[in-house]
Amino acid sequence: MAHHNQAQVFLLLFVLFCINEAVLSFQHRPKICAVDLAALSAIRDSLTDIPGSRFFSTWDFNAPDPCSSFTGVTCSFENRVTILSLGTGLSNSPGLAGSLSPALSNLTELTQLVLFPGLATGPIPPQLGQLTRLRVISLTNNRLTGPIPTSFSTLPYLHTLDLSSNQLTGSIPPGLTKLPFLKVLILSSNELTGELPRTVSAQLLHLDLKKNHISGPLPRLPSTLRYLSVSGNSMWGPLNGLESLTELVYLDVSMNKFSGPIPSSLFMNPTLSSLFLQRNNLSGGLPSIKMDPTIQSYGEGSIVDLSHNFITGEITALLAGVETLFLNNNHLIGSVPEEYVKSVYNGTTKTLYLQHNYLSGFPLPQGSALPDTVSLCLSYNCMVPPVGISACPASVGRQPSRPESQCSAFSHHSPMD
């Protein structure tokens, strides 16, 4: 009987020992999914801190809870990685070098992937297209090369894609602009080529493609757009496609090869306060539109730049309330409307550049002094600028007015700048 009791006690002690070992083992097991931990390890192997950066100093793979101790890692209640921010983004941190590991695709619960500015090189792993929960991809200001993965076109919930300031090549995948939830697309400052996708069905709010090598015309764009920039490309054709963009606040199509007249709807949009159309081949005149006085189209902080085009005819009163206005280097004629003069002298318009046109008059109010805060340039027109008006950039040159031959022949021949 005693022998039987001893056996029971031994068995009980053994069970308790096993339970204790299991508890201890569980306690020492990292509080993170094993697959995610392995992926983080591969990511750590492919990236390194640039001297002066200490981002990876907290990535101790023997730590009991990487979800709470790893900088840049956020996990769900199930200990799956949902947000990964590589680098700190702080101004005193130089960022990371190396490349992006395809193992990122093993973080299957990831919703946000951010790579802060640094020196990361190599391609964007196309395997990221397997992360169907991704809503944000931001890989800005690095040295990433190769194409934009076409697999991004399969991300059903993608809201924001920012790949700006890299060295990406190739064209924009046509499926990208059809994603149902995409609102922000920023691909500026790369080396992208080709034309824009013909179908842009995504209800975009923000589209920034400036400083690339994109060619071709503007496609039909969604009326939801509030910010649009295609500045510094090689795009051509008319601007008719902009007529339906009634929600625009910021528009920049400068430094391209766009031609034809400026859609009058751009001047009737009450929300549009920044309009950059300079350095194109735009022609035609400024529309003469009687604005509804109850609608304030321009005002404090507004800027309109139509310079370096082929705009003809007389200046209309349409833009008299703009704070910063550039109409220089066009083929404008006639006298400057009094509305502009008043706007300059009461300080509403702080910058008015009208140089290098064929203007013949600027009706100064008697006894009025130009405010110190105003920059007004009238040089190289068909008039001598009034005394005291000399706030011109150095590029204007020293000639105060055009040769008489250009002005007298103006009504008989097309002016040549």
Side-chain angles (χ1 to χ4, degrees), residues 4 13 61 74 76 110 118 241 255 296 304 311 331-332 402:
H4 178 71
L13 289 174
F61 286 89
T74 301
S76 65
L110 202 63
M255 292 180 280
Q296 180 61 52
V304 174
I311 300 171
H331 293 161
L332 296 166
R402 284 187 179 275

Side-chain angles (χ1 to χ4, degrees), residues 102 128 161 175 339:
L128 291 179
L161 178 61
E339 289 89 343

Side-chain angles (χ1 to χ4, degrees), residues 67-180:
C67 283
S68 62
S69 62
F70 279 29
T71 300
V73 174
T74 301
C75 297
S76 65
F77 290 116
E78 293 82 19
N79 295 323
R80 298 298 308 278
V81 178
T82 55
I83 299 174
L84 181 60
S85 299
L86 298 168
T88 63
L90 299 175
S91 58
N92 61 350
S93 175
L96 306 176
S99 61
L100 291 174
S101 171
L104 281 161
S105 62
N106 293 329
L107 302 175
T108 55
E109 295 295 311
L110 202 63
T111 62
Q112 295 184 38
L113 173 62
V114 178
L115 173 65
F116 284 107
L119 299 176
T121 59
I124 300 172
Q127 293 88 340
L128 291 179
Q130 300 170 18
L131 300 177
T132 56
R133 295 183 182 274
L134 271 176
R135 297 188 75 251
V136 175
I137 301 175
S138 177
L139 313 173
T140 66
N141 282 278
N142 279 275
R143 298 181 181 180
L144 301 174
T145 55
I148 300 170
T150 56
S151 61
F152 282 4
S153 300
T154 64
L155 294 172
Y157 302 111
L158 192 63
H159 177 283
T160 298
L161 178 61
D162 186 351
L163 307 177
S164 59
S165 300
N166 281 289
Q167 298 168 13
L168 301 175
T169 53
S171 58
I172 300 171
L176 200 58
T177 56
K178 299 177 185 177
L179 290 174

Side-chain angles (χ1 to χ4, degrees), residues 8 68 88 91 157 166 181 188 190 199 206 220 318 335 363 411:
Q8 283 186 321
S68 62
T88 63
S91 58
Y157 302 111
N166 281 289
F181 291 101
S188 56
N190 278 288
T199 303
H206 188 114
R220 184 173 178 84
L318 185 66
S335 182
S411 59

